[in-house]
């Protein structure tokens, strides 16, 4: 069927507005895509993707670390082929804008989904027809969205829909994360699944996070934990972690470097058979969470590069020269403030809070530090539960509890639970007001008797963190 005049016209308008807006300093990132979808219609996205992308697209989703993983995949792939990309902006508009910008061989798009009402994973899947869907991890965050309780099951379901109807494609899944591993297992009959994970004994995390079986909802049994919910697990119902195809088989820290060995045996889409390689890498001393990013990017690159020749060299070349600057800025920063060292940034799920603390811990000398903990909201008990588990494990010298989102009363009840767990804590009531929250955090830093201060937890999106951070810098 002939495509309508409206489609062609809007593609041109979208393209023109792309050229116009890309010269603007901010705000142009999603607007052309928005215009195109608004006037040509959502169903036109399929045609656009088909016309602009020759070999197929990769979609990357998860709760944390999508941006770092996506950046690594983009860097690796763009050495081999011409790509279209959308990173650090999780909307369908940003993705559409990237499609309008140019024709290319492969599309690489980060796509985040908070819930089904505020993301349309099934529509994205239907139109983009991804060849690869990458799942990084799933952690509980924002269990309420715009005041409505959003169950973790719905959140997982939304993620699942991004690959549900994909046939003969590849799912790249973190085997160590039970929920992601289950998404992979359910796709095994539809195409290929590439699992990645750790296979070493000398990395161990003893955080007490109880995780329910995604098949039968009974608690999983772990024989080993690598980081929070990630590890080697099984359930009496028969569900268990899959053996990774891309795995860390050696891990050590020497001379301030992560020395790792990756063994891989991966299906490649273009050669239509498995390729095997071993990689010895020297990475900067970033945490286990970043080693997971390296695994996810290696797996995705190996399964979807049309040029897998010399893959070891290409991967080594890239990762051995990587620096920390590719990590997304603004999420957690450590800075000197008065006579203190302050680490500050959003950590609105258990995983992120732990990663922030681990990073700050590199700087803390001695044992004493303050943790200014910004609480979740009403109906976000699951996030609090995950946060509390981390706080119990790291056991800060003193915790100042402050309300992170709307409700002050609920913050107080979370504080009571922290006290009930024998943690040394006090409560600071700050009413729900943007400016007051930011200055309240700064007051708490000033009032703290400790040299090292970590500020993390929930906040109103990124804004409150950025405002506070900028005030500190002044
Ligand atoms: Zn089970």
């Amino acid at each position: 069927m002939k495509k309508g005049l409206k489609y062609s016209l809007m593609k041109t308008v979208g393209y023109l507005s792309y050229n116009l807006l890309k010269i603007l300093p901010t705000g142009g990132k999603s607007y052309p895509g928005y215009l195109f979808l608004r006037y040509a219609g959502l169903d036109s996205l399929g045609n656009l993707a088909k016309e602009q992308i020759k070999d197929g697209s990769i979609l990357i989703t998860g709760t944390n670390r999508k941006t770092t993983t996506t950046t690594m995949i983009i860097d690796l792939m763009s050495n081999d082929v011409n790509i279209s990309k959308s990173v650090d902006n999780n909307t369908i508009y940003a993705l559409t804008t990237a499609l309008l910008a140019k024709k290319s061989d492969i599309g690489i798009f980060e796509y985040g989904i908070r819930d089904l009402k505020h993301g349309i994973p099934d529509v994205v899947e239907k139109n983009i027809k991804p060849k690869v869907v990458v799942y990084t991890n799933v952690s509980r965050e924002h269990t309420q969205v715009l005041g409505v309780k959003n169950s973790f099951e719905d959140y997982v379901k939304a993620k699942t829909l991004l690959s549900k109807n994909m046939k003969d494609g590849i799912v790249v899944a973190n085997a160590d994360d039970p929920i992601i591993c289950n998404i992979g297992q359910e796709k095994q009959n539809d195409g290929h699944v590439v699992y990645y994970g750790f296979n070493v004994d000398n990395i161990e995390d003893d955080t007490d996070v109880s995780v329910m079986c995604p098949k039968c909802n009974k608690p999983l049994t772990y024989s080993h934990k690598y980081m929070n919910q990630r590890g080697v697990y099984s359930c009496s119902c028969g569900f268990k972690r899959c053996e990774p195809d891309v795995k860390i088989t050696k891990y050590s820290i020497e001379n301030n470097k992560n020395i790792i060995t990756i063994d891989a045996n991966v299906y490649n889409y273009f050669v239509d058979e498995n390729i095997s390689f071993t990689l010895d890498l020297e990475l900067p001393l970033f945490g286990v969470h970043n080693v997971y990013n390296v695994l996810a990017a290696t797996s995705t690159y190996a399964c979807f590069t049309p040029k897998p020749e010399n893959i070891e060299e290409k991967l080594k070349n890239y990762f051995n020269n990587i620096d920390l600057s590719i990590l997304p800025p603004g999420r957690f920063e450590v800075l000197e403030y008065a006579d203190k060292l302050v680490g500050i940034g959003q950590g609105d799920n258990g995983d992120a809070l732990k990663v922030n603390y681990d990073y700050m811990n590199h700087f803390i000398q001695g044992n004493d530090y303050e943790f200014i903990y910004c609480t979740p909201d009403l109906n976000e008990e699951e996030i609090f539960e995950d946060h509390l588990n981390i706080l119990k494990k790291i056991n800060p010298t003193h915790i100042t509890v402050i309300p992170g989102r709307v409700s002050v009363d609920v913050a107080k009840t979370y504080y009571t639970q922290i006290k009930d767990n024998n943690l040394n804590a006090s409560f600071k009531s700050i009413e729900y007001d943007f400016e007051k929250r930011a200055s309240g955090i700064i007051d708490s830093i000033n009032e703290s008797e400790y040299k090292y201060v970590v500020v993390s937890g929930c906040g109103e999106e990124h804004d409150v963190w950025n405002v506070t951070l900028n005030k500190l810098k002044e």
Side-chain angles (χ1 to χ4, degrees):
M1 197 179 75
K2 199 171 173 294
K3 276 170 262 158
L5 175 64
K6 203 169 171 187
Y7 170 85
S8 308
L9 189 65
M10 282 323 298
K11 194 180 160 195
T12 310
V13 171
Y15 178 74
L16 288 175
S17 69
Y18 172 83
N19 280 318
L20 180 71
L21 286 164
K22 73 180 175 186
I23 59 169
L24 298 175
T26 54
K29 226 172 165 184
S30 318
Y31 193 64
Y34 170 78
L35 267 187
F36 175 83
L37 293 178
R38 173 84 175 73
Y39 292 101
L42 205 49
D43 289 339
S44 305
L45 181 60
N47 278 327
L48 183 69
K50 212 164 125 191
E51 278 179 17
Q52 302 290 79
I53 305 288
K54 187 166 99 5
D55 291 330
S57 290
I58 302 170
L59 297 175
I60 298 104
T61 196
T63 306
N64 303 109
R65 295 182 275 295
K66 300 182 290 288
T67 303
T68 313
T69 302
T70 308
T71 305
M72 288 174 176
I73 297 169
I74 287 169
D75 289 348
L76 286 163
M77 278 292 190
S78 54
N79 285 327
D80 291 353
V81 291
N82 191 353
I83 61 156
S84 291
K85 62 181 178 181
S86 158
V87 60
D88 203 18
N89 185 330
N90 284 306
T91 63
I92 194 169
Y93 306 122
L95 191 159
T96 308
T97 303
L99 286 174
L100 284 165
K102 63 170 186 174
K103 280 184 189 292
S104 65
D105 302 316
I106 288 175
I108 303 172
F109 308 113
E110 178 183 340
Y111 188 69
I113 315 143
R114 201 158 269 184
D115 66 355
L116 285 175
K117 285 182 208 76
H118 303 92
I120 36 174
D122 45 339
V123 176
V124 170
E125 195 279 334
K126 189 177 124 207
N127 284 286
I128 300 298
K129 295 198 168 52
K131 292 281 175 24
V132 183
V133 177
V134 182
Y135 289 96
T136 58
N137 75 324
V138 172
S139 192
R140 302 190 283 193
E141 62 162 15
H142 280 281
T143 47
Q144 71 158 349
V145 176
L146 301 178
V148 179
K149 178 95 175 166
N150 173 32
S151 78
F152 187 56
E153 286 72 27
D154 285 350
Y155 178 71
V156 173
K157 188 181 161 208
K159 300 266 177 214
T160 308
L161 282 176
L162 199 60
S163 65
K164 196 165 193 322
N165 293 311
M166 179 173 74
K167 299 278 180 233
D168 305 317
I170 305 172
V171 166
V172 176
N174 187 336
D176 297 350
D177 188 310
I179 287 159
I180 300 291
C181 187
N182 185 48
I183 292 175
Q185 289 185 16
E186 292 189 348
K187 285 301 289 179
Q188 277 177 191
N189 293 331
D190 288 343
H192 294 267
V193 181
V194 174
Y195 294 101
Y196 64 88
F198 274 58
N199 254 26
V200 290
D201 294 327
N202 61 338
I203 293 290
E204 183 134 40
D205 180 8
D206 57 357
T207 310
D208 178 26
V209 180
S210 83
V211 185
M212 298 303 158
C213 171
K215 293 271 191 239
C216 73
N217 214 29
K218 282 192 296 238
L220 290 172
T221 310
Y222 280 79
S223 61
H224 198 98
K225 267 190 182 170
Y226 297 117
M227 188 191 164
N228 288 346
Q229 81 278 13
R230 272 145 295 176
V232 182
Y233 47 82
S234 61
C235 177
S236 55
C237 75
F239 173 72
K240 63 176 196 246
R241 179 231 199 198
C242 295
E243 179 64 22
D245 307 291
V246 179
K247 56 197 170 196
I248 305 279
T249 50
K250 276 185 208 151
Y251 186 108
S252 64
I253 295 173
E254 289 163 34
N255 302 325
N256 276 333
K257 292 248 177 198
N258 280 322
I259 313 290
I260 65 169
T261 301
I262 297 176
D263 275 306
N265 182 8
V266 193
Y267 173 78
N268 179 281
Y269 180 86
F270 293 96
V271 298
D272 194 22
E273 57 184 45
N274 277 31
I275 55 171
S276 299
F277 55 92
T278 300
L279 277 181
D280 294 310
L281 299 178
E282 280 189 22
L283 301 170
L285 194 57
F286 43 35
V288 169
H289 60 289
N290 275 319
V291 180
Y292 273 112
N293 291 329
V294 171
L295 277 176
T298 300
S299 307
T300 309
Y301 178 62
C303 75
F304 207 60
T305 175
K307 297 177 181 171
E309 313 79 39
N310 307 325
I311 188 163
E312 282 173 43
E313 270 170 71
K314 288 194 274 187
L315 284 164
K316 262 189 201 171
N317 225 345
Y318 176 67
F319 284 121
N320 283 342
N321 295 303
I322 205 165
D323 65 58
L324 294 166
S325 66
I326 73 144
L327 304 180
R331 302 285 161 86
F332 190 80
E333 264 189 66
V334 175
L335 70 157
E336 282 177 26
Y337 170 71
D339 58 342
K340 296 182 195 302
L341 196 68
V342 180
I344 177 169
Q346 178 160 295
D348 59 0
N349 56 70
D351 237 34
L353 196 79
K354 176 77 172 18
V355 167
N356 291 350
Y357 165 75
D358 283 345
Y359 184 66
M360 182 67 185
N361 197 26
H362 291 303
F363 301 92
I364 297 175
Q365 289 172 4
N367 294 317
D368 293 347
Y369 65 98
E370 170 92 42
F371 200 115
I372 297 174
Y373 169 58
C374 310
T375 67
D377 214 341
L378 183 68
N379 293 330
E380 295 190 321
E381 295 82 9
E382 294 95 337
I383 300 173
F384 176 71
E385 225 174 84
D386 291 348
H387 278 165
L388 181 61
N389 279 325
I390 305 295
L391 290 172
K392 273 156 62 181
K393 179 179 155 52
I394 66 177
N395 193 9
T397 324
H398 181 256
I399 306 171
T400 302
V401 181
I402 63 172
R405 299 219 234 254
V406 180
S407 172
V408 176
D409 290 342
V410 168
K412 250 180 232 164
T413 66
Y414 292 143
Y415 161 69
T416 311
Q417 291 181 61
I418 288 172
K419 286 292 275 184
D420 289 348
N421 278 277
N422 296 320
L423 291 160
N424 178 25
S426 56
F427 184 72
K428 190 178 176 74
S429 183
I430 309 169
E431 68 177 285
Y432 181 59
D433 172 278
F434 200 83
E435 280 296 318
K436 282 180 186 158
R437 286 279 163 86
S439 50
I441 290 175
I442 292 171
D443 291 345
S444 303
I445 295 170
N446 286 327
E447 287 156 15
S448 173
E449 57 181 281
Y450 300 97
K451 179 171 165 43
Y452 301 98
V453 183
V454 189
V455 189
S456 195
C458 296
E460 286 300 305
E461 299 308 315
H462 296 307
D463 297 350
V464 82
W465 303 108
N466 290 339
V467 169
T468 313
L469 194 61
N470 289 335
K471 280 190 177 185
L472 284 174
K473 284 178 178 168
E474 279 166 21

